[in-house]
Amino acid sequence: AQAQQAAQALGYYHMTLEKHYTQQEHCWRLQLSIMPGKPVRIAEINIEILGEAKNDREFKEYLKALPVQPGDQLNHGVYESIKSDLGNLAIERGYFDARFITSELKVDTDLNQAAIVLQFDSGRRYHFGEINIEQSIFTDEFINRYITFVPGAPYSREKLLELREGLNNSRYFEQVTVRELPEHTQNYRIPISVKLNPRKRHSYAIGVGGATDTGPRIRFEYEDRYINSRGHRFSTDLILSPVRSEINTIYTIPLENPVTEHIDFYSGYLDEDTDTLTSETLTLGTRYNITLNNDWIISYFLNYQREDFSIADEKQLSRLLVPGNSGLLTRTDDPVYPLAGWRVYGQLRAANDGLASDASFTQLYASFKYIHKLGFGRLLTRL
């Protein structure tokens, strides 16, 4: 009976089988010889969307790309997945009263044909209600920049996921909770609750190490994650060694959309003292960063670099004003420890001796990294 049910689930309604029993020392052995026969094929698909979802673009797109077409072999699992997909899509789009009026899978075993008949009534679409945010660090104006919907807008689960992900990735909060309050729904409007628990404001890190070319070194890192209620942050990185010492600072200001846009102001000082070179380099710059819809991270920067250096007994002064831009795209299966994926990066920068620089140059730099799972480890390739 189980074999018969399994065959019909895959469209084989004319399956026949032969059963052979043999007695062994402590048990019986059953052998089934299965002849699947000619499969049933889909002759007709009739899916009707009723209610407000009838004109919903997402439902129209789903029906255009159904996982089954007339002429395909019948598969009960695919039929059930269509019903499940419609139900899930209704929840994601805010049709919480949706139901099936008709759900039939008609099988004609004489003609070896099947018909899918579904009538799905979505009912009315719910809308976002009042948005209640609980936090004590930032201004309401700043937090509201993370919200891409307004009260009264059509409900979308995707919008809530975007909000949660944006707040989590901001690095301001230790815990982010975004949820609906269906028990307070009125006039098809669902209130939204956002609770934000901040991370510790100050972060410190100290490291000690050594290398053959620089000798022993000490590293100190500090970050102020939220200098003010507008989300500004500051970080500095100090490295001390007998040969190479440097300090770098970055001041970051979130812009209109803090998820995708911010501007950095940075400075750095580098002191090098080797057997052949003595150098002091000062760097000042600003960088505008934006994440595009296709996940490219684009940066436009302007650096001013002043270097006093001496080689042997010759001393020189170099000044460069360097504009440029860069792009970074990453695709991985895990953002922390990927086992598969790739990353591509490119940068173009230049200087002109007529514009606050001592020399002219153009530089194009590109790199590619690919990661592939290999046994218990990873194969990493770089170009």
Side-chain angles (χ1 to χ4, degrees), residues 9-221:
L10 297 177
Y12 296 103
Y13 275 73
H14 300 287
M15 183 204 76
T16 58
L17 57 84
E18 295 179 357
K19 296 168 287 186
H20 302 282
Y21 296 94
T22 55
Q23 186 175 10
Q24 298 179 342
E25 183 176 356
H26 298 293
C27 63
W28 286 85
R29 179 172 183 265
L30 168 63
Q31 177 179 339
L32 300 180
S33 299
I34 298 175
M35 286 68 73
K38 190 175 180 180
V40 173
R41 297 195 174 273
I42 303 294
E44 179 185 355
I45 301 174
N46 184 5
I47 301 177
E48 184 179 9
I49 306 297
L50 305 175
E52 291 187 5
K54 182 177 182 179
N55 298 315
D56 191 310
R57 177 178 55 85
E58 293 295 330
F59 277 86
K60 291 180 179 180
E61 291 296 326
Y62 177 78
L63 294 181
K64 287 181 182 179
L66 281 175
V68 63
Q69 298 295 325
D72 292 350
Q73 184 171 328
L74 173 62
N75 186 314
H76 286 238
V78 175
Y79 166 73
E80 293 297 334
S81 71
I82 293 175
K83 295 172 60 178
S84 178
D85 290 344
L86 290 173
N88 292 335
L89 185 57
I91 293 175
E92 292 173 5
R93 303 288 289 171
Y95 302 99
F96 297 113
D97 300 326
R99 63 188 181 91
F100 283 97
I101 298 176
T102 303
S103 59
E104 295 179 342
L105 178 59
K106 301 178 180 180
V107 179
D108 188 329
T109 56
D110 293 334
L111 298 177
N112 259 11
Q113 293 181 349
I116 296 175
V117 180
L118 297 174
Q119 271 190 324
F120 187 70
D121 185 3
S122 68
R124 287 184 60 177
R125 186 176 185 180
Y126 285 68
H127 291 66
F128 288 116
E130 179 184 355
I131 305 170
N132 181 35
I133 301 175
E134 296 182 29
Q135 62 89 29
S136 58
I137 302 296
F138 303 102
T139 65
D140 292 340
E141 186 274 333
F142 175 68
I143 293 297
N144 287 336
R145 293 189 209 166
Y146 284 91
I147 303 175
T148 59
F149 56 89
V150 296
Y155 176 92
S156 170
R157 180 68 57 82
E158 183 179 359
K159 292 292 184 182
L160 294 182
L161 294 176
E162 287 178 359
L163 174 59
R164 183 184 295 114
E165 183 178 3
L167 292 170
N168 275 322
N169 294 338
S170 70
R171 298 189 294 134
Y172 294 127
F173 308 107
E174 185 175 10
Q175 184 176 13
V176 175
T177 303
V178 180
R179 65 186 185 95
E180 307 100 329
L181 301 175
E183 64 274 15
H184 299 296
T185 299
Q186 292 182 351
N187 299 324
Y188 292 91
R189 292 197 174 198
I190 301 180
I192 304 299
S193 171
V194 181
K195 293 184 178 180
L196 305 174
N197 296 328
R199 300 173 69 188
K200 292 182 179 179
R201 176 177 171 178
H202 303 286
S203 170
Y204 305 89
I206 297 177
V208 178
T212 56
D213 56 345
T214 61
R217 64 174 180 261
I218 299 175
R219 183 168 194 156
F220 175 76
E221 298 177 7

Side-chain angles (χ1 to χ4, degrees), residues 351-381:
N352 187 284
D353 58 5
L355 297 174
S357 299
D358 297 330
S360 297
F361 74 88
T362 301
Q363 182 186 57
L364 174 65
Y365 173 82
S367 66
F368 179 78
K369 184 175 183 179
Y370 175 76
I371 300 176
H372 183 74
K373 186 176 181 180
L374 190 65
F376 294 102
R378 304 182 300 171
L379 173 67
L380 292 89
T381 62

Side-chain angles (χ1 to χ4, degrees), residues 237-255:
D237 185 5
L238 173 65
I239 300 176
L240 299 174
S241 77
V243 176
R244 179 186 175 96
S245 297
E246 63 180 307
I247 181 171
N248 297 288
T249 64
I250 301 178
Y251 189 94
T252 300
I253 301 176
L255 298 179

